[in-house]
C-alpha cells in the first residue's frame, strides 16, 4: 500500500503569529481588585483560573533602566499579583520567567511597560482527542493529490482500488472538508459534509464529487522561496472559541514564483485567511490577511530595520517606516542541561531602539551558575504590524495574558532580520 503523510499546519503559527483584539470584552474593574491600589504606579497580573500545575510556575520582575530589580513576585492561580514602583517619574521593564524547574523555560521582557491590569487565563481547548473521519473514495487513482482538509492533519493511501483519506475533527460532531485533484482533470474536486460524527467512515464515489471551479490568482513579490497556506472559515466556526479552520492549500514554491492560481469551492466558506512567509532582500517577510475575499496581491511591508549591534547588553537597531512592535530573540542552550531557555525582548516602535539587559538577566539567574548572559545567542529581530492594534499595551496584554479575543478580519505584515 502506498502511503503519504501530509502535515497541514497553519502557517501563521509557525511565524509566531499573535492576533489581538483592541477591545476587551471582559475588562477588569480596578475597584474590584483593590480600591486602595495606586494604579498609576502598579502592575497587576490577575490569574483568573487554575493556570498552574505543581511543576509549572511564572515569576514576575519589575526592573529599572539600570537592570536593577525593584519588585519580584511569584504568580499563583486564582490570585492577583501586584508589583508597585514609581511609574510616574521613571520607566520600568516587566520580565516574566515561565518554566518548569530543571527543564525548559521562557523569559520575556516588555520594555517600558505601562501600569495597568494584565489578565492571565488558560487558552481554550478544542476536542483533545481529535476524532477521525475516514473517506473511502472509489474511482480515484493512486496519483489523486490531496491539497486541503479540515484541521491540521491528513493521512492518505491507496489500496484495493480505493483511495483512503483520514482526517481529524477539531470538534465532534463537526463539519468535514477535503479538496484534491485527479491528474487528468482541470479542476480539483471537493467533499463537504456538516455534522460528521467522530470515528466515522464515509464511502464516496470520486465521480460524484463536485468541482471547485472558482479561480483565484494572487501575486507575490520577487522571492527566493515562498510558503503559502490558505484556509476557509465559517461564521459559526468562530463562536465559543472554536476557531475551526479548513485548509484549502498548503504548499512551498521554489525561487522565482511570483504568481499562483488556485481553485476554491463556492458557497461554503464565509471568509478566508491567506498566510505566507517568503524570503527576499536578505530578510524573511510575513503577510497574512483574513477577509471575505482572498487577497489578489501580497506586497512588501513599508517598514524595515537595520541591526547595528545584537548583544544583550548593547542592542541597537535603526528602523524605517512605522510598525507596531518588535521582538528580539535570544536562546540559551546547555548540553546535559539544567535549563534550555528562550528569551524574547518586546518593545514598541522607535526609529532608534536600544536596550541593555545584561544586569537584569544575570540577576534573575544569579542562583543558576550554568545560565549567564554571555552564553546567550542572538537569533533574529522580527518587527510586526497589525491593522487591529492601537498600542504596545495591546501587545503586552496579549503576550502576558495568553490567548486574546480574535478579531474577525485583520491584515498582518512582518519582517525578520538576522545580524
Amino acid at each position: 500500500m502506498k502511503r503519504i503523510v501530509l502535515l497541514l499546519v497553519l502557517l501563521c503559527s509557525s511565524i509566531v503569529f499573535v492576533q489581538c483584539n483592541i477591545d476587551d470584552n471582559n475588562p477588569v474593574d480596578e475597584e474590584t481588585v483593590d480600591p486602595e491600589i495606586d494604579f498609576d504606579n502598579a502592575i497587576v497580573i490577575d490569574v483568573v483560573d487554575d493556570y498552574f500545575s505543581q511543576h509549572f510556575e511564572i515569576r514576575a520582575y519589575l526592573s529599572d533602566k539600570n537592570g536593577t530589580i525593584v519588585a519580584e513576585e511569584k504568580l499563583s492561580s486564582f490570585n492577583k499579583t501586584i508589583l508597585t514602583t514609581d511609574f510616574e517619574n521613571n520607566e520600568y521593564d516587566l520580565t516574566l520567567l515561565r518554566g518548569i524547574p530543571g527543564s525548559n523555560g521562557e523569559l520575556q521582557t516588555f520594555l517600558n511597560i505601562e501600569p495597568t491590569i494584565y489578565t492571565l487565563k488558560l487558552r481554550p481547548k478544542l476536542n483533545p482527542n481529535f476524532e477521525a473521519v475516514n473517506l473511502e473514495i472509489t474511482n480515484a487513482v493512486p496519483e489523486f493529490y490531496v491539497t486541503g482538509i479540515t484541521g491540521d492533519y491528513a493521512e492518505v493511501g491507496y489500496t484495493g482500488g480505493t483511495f483512503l483519506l483520514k482526517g481529524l475533527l477539531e470538534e465532534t460532531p463537526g463539519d468535514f472538508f477535503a479538496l484534491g485533484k485527479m491528474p487528468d482533470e482541470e479542476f480539483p474536486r471537493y467533499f463537504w459534509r456538516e455534522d460528521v460524527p467522530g470515528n466515522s467512515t464515509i464511502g464516496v464515489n470520486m465521480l460524484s464529487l463536485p468541482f471547485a471551479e472558482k479561480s483565484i490568482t494572487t501575486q507575490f513579490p520577487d522571492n527566493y522561496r515562498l510558503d503559502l497556506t490558505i484556509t476557509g472559515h465559517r461564521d459559526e466556526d468562530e463562536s465559543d472559541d472554536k476557531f475551526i479552520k479548513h485548509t484549502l492549500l498548503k504548499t512551498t514554491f521554489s525561487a522565482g514564483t511570483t504568481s499562483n492560481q488556485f481553485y476554491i469551492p463556492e458557497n461554503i466558506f464565509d471568509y478566508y485567511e491567506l498566510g505566507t512567509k517568503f524570503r527576499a532582500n536578505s530578510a524573511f517577510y510575513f503577510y497574512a490577511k483574513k477577509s471575505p475575499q482572498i487577497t489578489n496581491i501580497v506586497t512588501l511591508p513599508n517598514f524595515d530595520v537595520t541591526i547595528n549591534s545584537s548583544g544583550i547588553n548593547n542592542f541597537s537597531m535603526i528602523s524605517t517606516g512605522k510598525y507596531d512592535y518588535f521582538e528580539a530573540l535570544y536562546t540559551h542552550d546547555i548540553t546535559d542541561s539544567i535549563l534550555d531557555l528562550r528569551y524574547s525582548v518586546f518593545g514598541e516602535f522607535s526609529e532608534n531602539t536600544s536596550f541593555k539587559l545584561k544586569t537584569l538577566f544575570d540577576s534573575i539567574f544569579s542562583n543558576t551558575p550554568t545560565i549567564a548572559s554571555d552564553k546567550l545567542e542572538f537569533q533574529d529581530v522580527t518587527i510586526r504590524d497589525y491593522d487591529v492594534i492601537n498600542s504596545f499595551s495591546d501587545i503586552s496584554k496579549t503576550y502576558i495574558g495568553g490567548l486574546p479575543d480574535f478579531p474577525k478580519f485583520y491584515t498582518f505584515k512582518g519582517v525578520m532580520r538576522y545580524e
Side-chain angles (χ1 to χ4, degrees):
M1 180 179 71
K2 177 180 176 182
R3 208 163 188 80
I4 306 170
V5 176
L6 302 176
L7 294 177
L8 299 171
V9 179
L10 182 62
L11 175 67
C12 297
S13 62
S14 68
I15 62 177
V16 199
F17 183 52
V18 178
Q19 300 166 299
C20 302
N21 191 346
I22 60 175
D23 298 319
D24 185 353
N25 294 329
N26 297 288
V28 179
D29 187 350
E30 292 179 356
E31 294 184 359
T32 67
V33 176
D34 189 333
E36 298 183 359
I37 296 175
D38 178 7
F39 285 94
D40 291 332
N41 289 294
I43 294 287
V44 179
I45 303 179
D46 185 15
V47 185
V48 299
D49 52 25
D50 189 11
Y51 192 88
F52 302 100
S53 72
Q54 60 181 339
H55 301 298
F56 180 81
E57 67 178 42
I58 297 180
R59 298 195 69 86
Y61 307 84
L62 271 181
S63 58
D64 62 20
K65 292 307 170 183
N66 295 319
T68 302
I69 297 173
V70 299
E72 174 185 352
E73 295 288 347
K74 179 181 176 180
L75 277 57
S76 58
S77 297
F78 304 110
N79 195 26
K80 301 173 182 67
T81 299
I82 303 170
L83 301 102
T84 59
T85 190
D86 182 18
F87 278 102
E88 293 184 356
N89 297 303
N90 296 287
E91 292 182 336
Y92 293 89
D93 305 330
L94 173 68
T95 299
L96 300 180
L97 175 59
R98 308 172 188 256
I100 304 171
S103 184
N104 297 321
E106 180 180 29
L107 194 69
Q108 298 172 319
T109 294
F110 302 88
L111 302 175
N112 302 334
I113 195 73
E114 292 185 12
T116 188
I117 299 173
Y118 298 90
T119 302
L120 184 63
K121 56 185 178 181
L122 287 170
R123 295 173 180 266
K125 295 181 179 179
L126 299 172
N127 175 14
N129 297 318
F130 294 106
E131 296 179 6
V133 173
N134 299 282
L135 290 184
E136 297 181 350
I137 308 172
T138 57
N139 284 324
V141 298
E143 292 77 19
F144 176 70
Y145 179 63
V146 178
T147 60
I149 198 167
T150 293
D152 286 337
Y153 176 84
E155 186 176 313
V156 301
Y158 187 83
T159 183
T162 300
F163 191 88
L164 307 175
L165 172 60
K166 177 182 178 180
L168 301 179
L169 287 175
E170 293 182 320
E171 180 188 49
T172 306
D175 302 339
F176 192 77
F177 169 79
L179 181 70
K181 188 177 184 305
M182 295 280 280
D184 58 347
E185 293 182 334
E186 179 181 359
F187 303 106
R189 294 178 181 264
Y190 68 93
F191 173 87
W192 171 260
R193 186 171 296 180
E194 299 180 19
D195 298 322
V196 176
N199 296 324
S200 58
T201 298
I202 301 172
V204 62
N205 186 332
M206 170 63 69
L207 301 180
S208 70
L209 295 178
F211 288 107
E213 298 184 81
K214 184 177 179 180
S215 175
I216 305 292
T217 300
T218 300
Q219 305 291 331
F220 302 93
D222 292 337
N223 59 84
Y224 307 135
R225 170 194 165 107
L226 186 146
D227 297 316
L228 176 64
T229 298
I230 300 172
T231 55
H233 300 262
R234 290 163 60 85
D235 284 330
E236 59 266 32
D237 288 346
E238 285 211 355
S239 63
D240 301 324
D241 297 321
K242 294 177 183 176
F243 309 122
I244 297 172
K245 55 183 176 290
H246 307 280
T247 302
L248 284 77
L249 176 69
K250 180 176 174 62
T251 189
T252 297
F253 296 103
S254 58
T257 299
T258 58
S259 178
N260 180 60
Q261 182 184 39
F262 51 92
Y263 299 92
I264 61 174
E266 296 192 77
N267 304 317
I268 292 182
F269 303 114
D270 299 303
Y271 46 96
Y272 303 88
E273 182 171 17
L274 180 148
T276 184
K277 170 185 174 181
F278 56 94
R279 186 167 185 175
N281 304 327
S282 301
F284 281 103
Y285 295 88
F286 309 113
Y287 179 95
K289 187 176 181 66
K290 194 173 186 180
S291 66
Q293 296 83 33
I294 298 175
T295 185
N296 294 114
I297 185 167
V298 172
T299 59
L300 288 172
N302 57 357
F303 51 83
D304 210 334
V305 63
T306 300
I307 303 170
N308 296 326
S309 176
S310 63
I312 194 67
N313 203 44
N314 61 346
F315 183 88
S316 173
M317 69 182 190
I318 299 175
S319 303
T320 57
K322 182 71 166 60
Y323 57 87
D324 288 320
Y325 72 107
F326 74 86
E327 176 187 3
L329 175 62
Y330 298 82
T331 57
H332 193 300
D333 300 321
I334 307 172
T335 305
D336 300 326
S337 65
I338 295 175
L339 189 69
D340 291 330
L341 186 69
R342 175 189 174 98
Y343 185 21
S344 294
V345 180
F346 298 97
E348 62 185 329
F349 165 80
S350 176
E351 292 182 355
N352 296 282
T353 299
S354 62
F355 56 76
K356 298 178 180 293
L357 295 172
K358 174 180 171 59
T359 299
L360 170 65
F361 186 93
D362 289 337
S363 296
I364 291 173
F365 296 103
S366 59
N367 295 321
T368 311
T370 53
I371 300 178
S373 58
D374 58 4
K375 296 181 181 178
L376 282 171
E377 295 184 6
F378 173 74
Q379 300 298 315
D380 53 64
V381 165
T382 303
I383 54 178
R384 300 179 173 95
D385 186 82
Y386 299 82
D387 61 355
V388 293
I389 291 176
N390 284 338
S391 69
F392 181 62
S393 177
D394 293 332
I395 291 297
S396 301
K397 289 179 179 179
T398 296
Y399 278 102
I400 293 171
L403 187 66
D405 297 315
F406 285 74
K408 186 170 184 179
F409 303 132
Y410 59 83
T411 301
F412 157 77
K413 295 182 179 181
V415 181
M416 176 191 290
R417 286 202 174 274
Y418 305 92
E419 190 173 20

